[in-house]
Amino acid sequence: MGDDEIAELLDSPERLVTVCAPAGCGKTYQGALYAARALANLNRGRVLILTHTHAACNVFASATSSVSARVEIKTLDAFIVEIARIYHRPLDLPSDPAAWAQSQDGDFAVIAERVAGLLVSRPMVATALARRYPVIIGDEHQDSSSAQHQLMMSLHSAGTVMRLFGDRMQTLYGNKTAAERQADQVRWDELGDKGKIGTLSNPHRWHDGSVDLGRWILRAREALENGEAVDLREPLPEGLGVIRVENRSQRHNDFWLNPDDRRPIDAKINRLPSMLVLSRNNDTVKSLRVFWNRRYSIWEGHTRYALTELLSALELDCGNVVALANATVSFLQKTCKGFANRSHADRFLREAREGCISSARGKPALLQAMAKELVDRPNHIGVSRCLQLLNGFVSEEAGGFTEIKIDYRREFRDAVSLGGFSDSSIALREINRRRAFIRPTPPGKALSTIHKAKGMECDHAIIMPCDRQSFSNSAISRCLLYVALSRAKRSLTLIVPHDDPSPLLLLD
């Protein structure tokens, strides 16, 4: 459907409209314009835009800046937590549900289920919310859980006009089972029975880039959705390139090329002012950072998985020196290179177990100093000071620490900042608040997993490696490949091996 047809559908008296929104086809453009038009007709209340990521919040905030006084933009999790905080007693939750969820390994699903149940059992709560938010725009609805979907439908039943945007080809399944994925599909299909549905088809993202590339990506999406392979045979559209090289690494999820094979990739990155390099796995992203001698940063997104695990340990094991030392090692091995068991971690853990009583010199003495911070303060402050010491050793290139490289700098810096708070739960809330407010964007040239790049756009992108291990013939791989393909506006390069390429690619 054209832009005018979609706008007419959104403005229709239908109380539920679902828009299938392929990447780059004007979802934010349509949502923001609709928000402004809806506000003009509202006598009370606000328009609420709910997203799944803080990156998407940032995009919508920019697009709706002219009407920001009456538009609220927040993640769906944040909205659910706000409701849970107000009704925490009937929900049998503590007064700070977010901190409670973080103590449960960051699992907000229980809160969502209880809040969704509350809106069903106490419809007056849903009615009150519908009065406050007579219009809700839901972004990336295909990623909503069963409970999140139920919550949205309860608000719709209570009177909210609902406009849902989503694309099942951009579903990132996570750890969902086959049954859960099937249930998601059924819910998506049922939306068409409950209201009107339309499909965006104008490749807005590429209007100031390569329009031919945008049209090709829409055809690639159609092929992937229909169970077919993406056609990479000549002629290719302007902006699309394929480099056939063989990954020489023998290690799982690692990547390495011989000098001749890497030359065209290096030339492309050096020639262009910006580049986002996308890969499926965290381990491959870390390997690619080494591949380019750490010249390019890893885009860390908003979620801090290693930090969340560390904070959980601080909540559960406060006062237990050995447990906190193990949690610190786990954090360091996820965010840094070089803090290996034999070279550093084993001695650090031994010092923590023994209370730092042995005589030591050189590198062992520095590891002992780190452990001593935990022994003296077996809490978040001790962990913070321990990490701060390590950061100093690395910066000063102290003996025995030159091989340690901090790959996830933002996450490491957030962990160091824990020492500035009275307790770890307050620290987590403040760190999340700062990240939500600042809404950082990746540097000009960066490495990222496909998952963390979802919702972003860039001028130039490289997807590597496009092999069977990264993109098998599965529903999850089809979605991931499409998300990766649809990020770049001007140029897209696929790094494809001769041996065992992805079966999702139709090659010569």
Side-chain angles (χ1 to χ4, degrees), residues 14-36:
E14 288 288 337
R15 292 185 51 253
L16 175 63
V17 172
T18 303
V19 177
C20 179
C25 287
K27 173 191 66 176
T28 305
Y29 167 82
Q30 289 284 359
L33 287 180
Y34 170 71

Side-chain angles (χ1 to χ4, degrees), residues 33 38 49 53-54 61 93 95 121 134 163 196 210 298 312 330 332 407 428 452 493 501 506 508:
L33 287 180
I49 300 177
T53 68
H54 289 274
L93 289 170
S95 59
S121 63
R163 298 295 184 257
K196 296 292 185 181
S210 171
I298 295 175
S312 294
S330 178
L332 289 173
D407 286 327
L428 181 61
K452 288 191 174 180
T493 304
L506 184 59
D508 291 331

Side-chain angles (χ1 to χ4, degrees), residues 324-389:
L324 291 187
N326 277 290
T328 301
V329 167
S330 178
F331 175 81
L332 289 173
Q333 292 182 343
K334 288 181 173 70
T335 58
C336 306
K337 176 185 179 297
F339 202 86
N341 289 344
R342 290 186 179 182
S343 61
H344 295 81
D346 289 347
R347 181 59 185 256
F348 172 77
L349 292 172
R350 193 184 93 188
E351 294 290 347
R353 283 194 307 270
E354 297 176 355
C356 304
I357 58 174
S358 61
S359 177
R361 299 178 60 184
K363 182 173 75 173
L366 299 182
L367 290 168
Q368 185 181 79
M370 289 173 57
K372 187 71 163 55
E373 296 291 352
L374 287 180
V375 171
D376 291 345
R377 303 170 190 83
N379 54 28
H380 66 289
I381 295 175
V383 169
S384 169
R385 294 189 178 188
C386 170
L387 297 177
Q388 198 167 10
L389 274 181

Side-chain angles (χ1 to χ4, degrees), residues 81-97 114-115 118 122:
V81 166
E82 284 183 9
I83 299 171
R85 187 177 296 117
I86 296 170
Y87 297 99
H88 67 92
R89 286 195 177 92
L91 291 173
D92 192 25
L93 289 170
S95 59
D96 189 343
R114 294 188 188 182
V115 169
L118 176 74
R122 299 193 181 185

Side-chain angles (χ1 to χ4, degrees), residues 215-248:
R215 291 177 180 141
W216 178 88
I217 288 170
L218 285 178
R219 293 195 298 273
R221 178 193 178 280
E222 184 178 0
L224 290 167
E225 186 176 29
N226 293 334
E228 301 168 0
V230 175
D231 194 348
L232 286 177
R233 297 172 298 182
E234 299 288 351
L236 299 178
E238 179 185 359
L240 178 63
V242 179
I243 298 176
R244 304 295 300 273
V245 290
E246 215 61 53
N247 182 6
R248 303 297 178 183

